[in-house]
Amino acid sequence: MRSDRMKAGLERAPHRSLLKAMGYTDEELKRPLIGVINSKNESIPGHIHLDRIAEAVKAGIRMAGGTPMEVPCIGVCDGTAMNHRGMNYSLPSRELIADSIESMAEANAFDAMVLIPNCDKVVPGMLMAAARVNIPAIVISGGPMLAGRCNGKNLNLTMMFEAVGSVSAGTMSEEELYEMEENACPGCGSCSGMYTANSMNCLTEVLGMGLPGNGTIPAVYGERIRLAKTAGMKIMEILEKGLLPRDIMTYKAFENALTTDMALGCSTNSVLHLTAIAYEAGIKIDLDIINKISAMTPNLCKLSPAGPYHVQDLYEAGGVQAVMKELASGGLLHLDQPTVAGGCLGDVIKQAHVQNHAVIRPFDDPYSTTGGIAVLRGNLAPDGAVVKRSAVAPEMMVHKGPARVFNSEEEAYDAILSGKIKKKDVIIIRYEGPKGGPGMKEMLSPTAAIAGMGLDKDVALITDGRFSGATRGASIGHVSPEAMSGGPIAVVEEGDIISINIPEGRLDVLIDEEALKNRLEKWTAPEPKIKNGYLARYASLVTSANTGAVLK
């Protein structure tokens, strides 16, 4: 056993004495030591209940003959961090999570790990760590939040952010906003739409690192606790088989994940995270593969913010397994890939079937014949940009308009709320990329304000930052190279005409090549926004968004 280097033999008597100080018995120390990495905290609704998940996992481990050792993991809530300095720390926290799990797994010589995330950067951070450490591992999330209800209608977090814009536009009262605030998020779990957390928890199943139901069983259901116990038992099977994360997360597994991503209409952040997880697994994902996969993958689901359904509806319709079954019927998945559930992916989805074709459309009757995400290139984004095509209004798929240029999210948000943005405008928010932010902030507040003011079918937003999975509209992020690295977005001027053509995968500023070259030659980098602490170190090491914003 790997843990024997810490606990076996005469020379490890001092080590065992320390373990016994915590109450571990000789019998427990003879068993495999399983790290239970728990991101429970009291600052994220998706994590407030993870102590119950951890207890269930530990029960499963003990039932199957292992000794669990619970250790903590940090987490940031993107919702409460939105539109203030806290958001600078969200994406960088992903790297801290991966580094800290590596540290704990190696320092404690764990034989295997059960990873308990739920929200935003915690899921990809844990998967990155699993690929890096490469000991037997399984992911069990805390599950999605149920949708809220108010006046007979479903509510979610997207609606809350958009309601702020509606109040500013005078179409909603503050009293109505407060009533929504009281009801939008009814309890624990990752926010109820196909936002980043639920996107990554669903794709964890597709990658083969989570059990069926990991992404969709609601947080408050007893079935979630049973799944956690099963995960605890399964890790012992995985350990016995010697099945490692890099055996599971192969190139074909990432192709499966990207294909299902397109069918589900996941958050654009999934591109950023899948690229980073693949990097840790020693696999390179080129952004061009995304358009290739999207071109042949139908969009089968329109979950919030793209449509009226929520993750609980996906669960009741058959879950991620049913979506994969539809994709497999069209020959789009590699069914021979191993999974932590045992057997291959084809075995896992064999019994799945769609319960509600309004939520999961048939393969031959999709919402669209192409996938939910597109990569755009052009003279404004030579290394690529990403858009959630499934959440863009048809009239905005092709758009030209004057650039309204802002050097921070805060400047743009103030301009939107004060009525300075007009129809046809293309908002440019720059110096918010991985280096420039630093930390590549999400832009949900500006996009939601635009939607709440009724401008989402008239105004586009382009940024070297990124968007929440809760964002809808013509919102194009991850523009690479970013402004802080001297990308073309740094030299766009107020009034330049921006051309967006999503069907053709183009994003351009309509000036001649020589003029653009002259502007770039004259450009000089501004002073960094943050010059000390973790974010300064992060900015000096982080790569571009098109490579996953990983640290080198």
Side-chain angles (χ1 to χ4, degrees):
M1 288 188 291
R2 188 172 184 266
S3 59
D4 282 350
R5 70 190 192 198
M6 181 178 71
K7 61 185 175 65
L10 185 68
E11 68 277 12
R12 294 295 182 255
H15 303 63
R16 291 193 297 275
S17 71
L18 289 168
L19 293 168
K20 289 180 177 180
M22 294 180 280
Y24 291 104
T25 65
D26 286 331
E27 176 58 34
E28 287 176 301
L29 296 180
K30 289 175 185 175
R31 298 178 179 186
L33 301 185
I34 312 300
V36 178
I37 318 299
N38 186 5
S39 57
K40 193 268 183 189
N41 65 47
E42 296 182 354
S43 66
I44 309 177
H47 292 228
I48 189 71
H49 65 303
L50 295 189
D51 50 350
R52 290 193 66 206
I53 300 294
E55 287 304 317
V57 166
K58 289 188 286 187
I61 292 169
R62 292 188 184 104
M63 283 190 283
T67 297
M69 285 187 165
E70 184 178 344
V71 296
C73 174
I74 67 165
V76 172
C77 177
D78 281 22
T80 56
M82 199 70 66
N83 197 228
H84 64 86
R85 182 170 174 170
M87 181 49 70
N88 292 92
Y89 287 87
S90 174
L91 183 60
S93 75
R94 187 189 72 180
E95 316 309 308
L96 285 175
I97 289 163
D99 289 350
S100 64
I101 293 172
E102 174 195 355
S103 300
M104 295 302 285
E106 296 295 350
N108 293 291
F110 292 143
D111 294 298
M113 296 187 293
V114 180
L115 304 158
I116 308 176
N118 212 24
C119 292
D120 297 298
K121 309 310 151 306
V122 188
V123 184
M126 287 189 170
L127 286 168
M128 289 165 68
R132 185 189 302 173
V133 178
N134 204 34
I135 60 175
I138 189 170
V139 173
I140 169 66
S141 78
M145 183 187 293
L146 297 175
R149 295 283 291 175
C150 186
N151 298 321
K153 296 180 180 179
N154 284 336
L155 287 179
N156 55 53
L157 187 65
T158 299
M159 295 175 181
M160 284 306 308
F161 277 94
E162 292 180 2
V164 175
S166 298
V167 172
S168 297
T171 58
M172 179 182 286
S173 69
E174 290 188 27
E175 289 74 22
E176 290 172 311
L177 177 66
Y178 182 74
E179 187 175 9
M180 288 179 65
E181 175 187 326
E182 288 279 283
N183 293 283
C185 299
C188 65
S190 48
C191 295
S192 57
M194 189 50 75
Y195 311 147
T196 304
N198 290 326
S199 294
M200 293 309 301
N201 280 323
C202 287
L203 296 181
T204 296
E205 292 186 43
V206 188
L207 282 172
M209 291 296 293
L211 296 173
N214 178 73
T216 59
I217 298 171
V220 294
Y221 285 13
E223 187 180 357
R224 173 63 55 179
I225 301 300
R226 298 197 300 273
L227 190 72
K229 290 178 181 176
T230 303
M233 291 185 281
K234 278 287 180 185
I235 193 62
M236 301 307 294
E237 289 183 26
I238 297 165
L239 175 60
E240 186 176 352
K241 291 177 182 177
L243 185 63
L244 303 177
R246 292 194 186 189
D247 299 329
I248 297 170
M249 291 191 282
T250 64
Y251 186 81
K252 285 183 178 180
F254 283 99
E255 284 193 330
N256 285 343
L258 286 167
T259 299
T260 310
D261 188 331
M262 299 301 166
L264 284 170
C266 290
S267 163
T268 52
N269 284 320
S270 62
V271 174
L272 195 70
H273 298 321
L274 287 173
T275 306
I277 298 162
Y279 170 80
E280 294 290 354
I283 294 167
K284 182 179 180 181
I285 293 180
D286 190 294
L287 286 189
D288 289 330
I289 193 180
I290 291 166
N291 281 346
K292 180 182 175 183
I293 290 174
S294 182
M296 59 186 184
T297 305
N299 179 213
L300 304 180
C301 302
K302 278 193 178 290
L303 305 173
S304 178
Y309 302 109
H310 296 84
V311 179
Q312 70 199 67
D313 300 308
L314 178 62
Y315 163 73
E316 292 168 3
V320 177
Q321 311 304 307
V323 175
M324 288 194 284
K325 188 74 171 285
E326 286 292 325
L327 293 171
S329 72
L332 295 187
L333 295 181
H334 305 289
L335 299 179
D336 59 345
Q337 294 301 289
T339 77
V340 294
C344 63
L345 190 66
D347 298 326
V348 171
I349 68 172
K350 193 174 292 183
Q351 303 303 318
H353 61 278
V354 177
Q355 303 273 14
N356 185 343
H357 277 296
V359 178
I360 304 172
R361 297 287 284 269
F363 184 84
D364 56 2
D365 183 27
Y367 284 104
S368 66
T369 56
T370 54
I373 292 176
V375 171
L376 312 182
R377 292 186 187 271
N379 68 357
L380 189 52
D383 293 339
V386 181
V387 63
K388 188 170 184 174
R389 173 167 37 195
S390 60
V392 178
E395 49 266 63
M396 290 298 291
M397 296 294 279
V398 178
H399 180 79
K400 288 182 182 177
R404 303 298 308 280
V405 181
F406 303 94
N407 289 332
S408 72
E409 177 199 12
E410 291 80 6
E411 290 177 26
Y413 188 56
D414 290 344
I416 294 165
L417 292 184
S418 60
K420 295 178 181 177
I421 302 301
K422 310 300 180 187
K423 290 183 178 182
K424 301 287 287 186
D425 283 351
V426 178
I427 300 168
I428 303 286
I429 303 179
R430 62 193 181 193
Y431 297 108
E432 292 289 13
K435 288 182 180 295
M440 204 178 180
K441 290 158 65 177
E442 285 188 346
M443 304 292 164
L444 178 57
S445 291
T447 57
I450 289 168
M453 297 170 82
L455 293 172
D456 56 299
K457 296 180 180 179
D458 302 289
V459 172
L461 194 154
I462 298 170
T463 181
D464 54 5
R466 60 195 177 91
F467 294 107
S468 165
T471 286
R472 63 185 175 95
S475 303
I476 300 167
H478 305 197
V479 171
S480 301
E482 65 172 291
M484 199 65 177
S485 296
I489 192 173
V491 296
V492 174
E493 296 179 358
E494 188 83 6
D496 283 347
I497 300 301
I498 306 297
S499 173
I500 301 165
N501 192 320
I502 295 173
E504 294 184 6
R506 296 293 306 180
L507 181 63
D508 296 281
V509 53
L510 299 184
I511 59 174
D512 64 65
E513 188 177 336
E514 191 63 28
L516 181 59
K517 182 180 176 182
N518 288 339
R519 289 187 191 180
L520 288 169
E521 287 174 350
K522 294 176 183 176
W523 175 84
T524 56
E527 284 288 306
K529 295 176 185 174
I530 296 175
K531 299 179 182 180
N532 52 43
Y534 173 56
L535 290 182
R537 296 196 302 275
Y538 175 87
S540 70
L541 296 170
V542 71
T543 66
S544 173
N546 67 298
T547 57
V550 295
L551 298 186
K552 286 190 175 178

